[in-house]
């Protein structure tokens, strides 16, 4: 009798977990950006947006994916990348974005850092204006920036880890809290 009750409890737990995972996946959306798009569109494959900055202002749910189709774009607005959102270009030789925004993509947390930022930016050639930053990541882990190229940026990628408090009494060197690439 006890074994049967335990089996039912485990089965109930597994069903609940499956429903939670299905619900979180169901809320995620796939959006599209195209050189022929319009930011007044709905971001679907048949009605894409024109700019990545607009796409990042809408894509906020964990698991959302923004596909930036092949072409050359100019976007001078900052993109604020929400936790769990990914940006996928068609390839750094196929998707090019020119920008003069001070920081083009911000993947940042104010206050408490998060353990799982779950962001990725892949397959895009970024061209800056000479004094700007391409991607700034602050207080997030588990982020992937791959198969991109950066030209004309003062700082292509800037990563700031968890804020810390340094106490001189501890001795040793003060650790670095950031890295620029």
């Amino acid at each position: 009798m006890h074994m049967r009750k335990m089996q039912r409890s485990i089965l109930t737990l597994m069903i609940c977990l499956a429903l939670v995972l299905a619900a979180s996946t169901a809320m995620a959306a796939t959006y599209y950006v195209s050189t022929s798009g319009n930011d007044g569109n709905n971001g679907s494959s048949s009605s894409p947006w024109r700019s990545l900055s607009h796409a990042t202002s809408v894509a906020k749910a964990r698991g959302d994916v923004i596909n930036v189709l092949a072409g050359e774009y100019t976007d001078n607005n900052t993109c604020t990348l929400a936790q769990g959102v990914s940006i996928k270009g068609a390839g750094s030789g196929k998707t090019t974005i020119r920008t003069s925004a001070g920081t083009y993509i911000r993947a940042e947390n104010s206050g408490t850092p998060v353990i799982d930022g779950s962001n990725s930016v892949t397959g895009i050639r970024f061209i800056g204006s000479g004094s700007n930053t391409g991607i700034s990541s602050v207080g997030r882990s588990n982020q992937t920036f791959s198969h991109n190229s950066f030209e004309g940026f003062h700082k292509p990628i800037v990563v700031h880890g968890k804020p810390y408090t340094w106490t001189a009494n501890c001795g040793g060197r003060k650790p670095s809290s950031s890295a620029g690439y």
Side-chain angles (χ1 to χ4, degrees):
M1 188 72 112
H2 179 56
M3 181 67 131
R4 205 174 193 54
K5 188 175 182 180
M6 184 184 296
Q7 287 174 334
R8 267 190 264 145
S9 295
I10 291 172
L11 180 61
T12 302
L13 180 62
M14 290 175 65
I15 290 170
C16 289
L17 181 60
L19 290 173
V20 167
L21 290 174
S24 67
T25 303
M27 291 189 297
T30 300
Y31 299 106
Y32 295 86
V33 175
S34 170
T35 56
S36 62
N38 182 311
D39 285 344
N41 291 345
N42 65 13
S44 67
S45 60
S46 60
S47 187
W49 291 313
R50 174 72 173 101
S51 67
L52 181 57
S53 58
H54 179 75
T56 60
S57 74
V58 176
K60 299 292 183 189
R62 184 171 286 278
D64 282 357
V65 176
I66 302 168
N67 289 300
V68 185
L69 303 178
E72 292 204 17
Y73 302 81
T74 297
D75 188 356
N76 294 318
N77 297 306
T78 295
C79 302
T80 301
L81 190 58
Q83 291 177 34
V85 175
S86 295
I87 299 170
K88 294 182 179 180
S92 66
K94 297 177 182 176
T95 302
T96 300
I97 300 176
R98 295 177 187 278
T99 185
S100 63
T103 297
Y104 185 56
I105 296 177
R106 288 186 183 278
E108 301 181 352
N109 281 22
S110 57
T112 306
V114 295
I115 294 173
D116 189 3
S118 289
N119 297 115
S120 68
V121 179
T122 61
I124 301 175
R125 176 182 175 215
F126 296 99
I127 301 175
S129 61
S131 61
N132 52 345
T133 298
I135 299 174
S136 175
S137 169
V138 176
R140 289 191 191 169
S141 67
N142 193 26
Q143 296 189 88
T144 304
F145 309 119
S146 65
H147 300 93
N148 300 302
S149 63
F150 297 85
E151 301 168 29
F153 286 97
H154 175 66
K155 295 179 181 177
I157 300 176
V158 176
V159 178
H160 293 274
K162 174 185 170 193
Y164 62 90
T165 303
W166 173 252
T167 305
N169 297 347
C170 292
R173 278 181 60 220
K174 181 177 181 178
S176 172
S177 65
S178 65
Y181 301 94

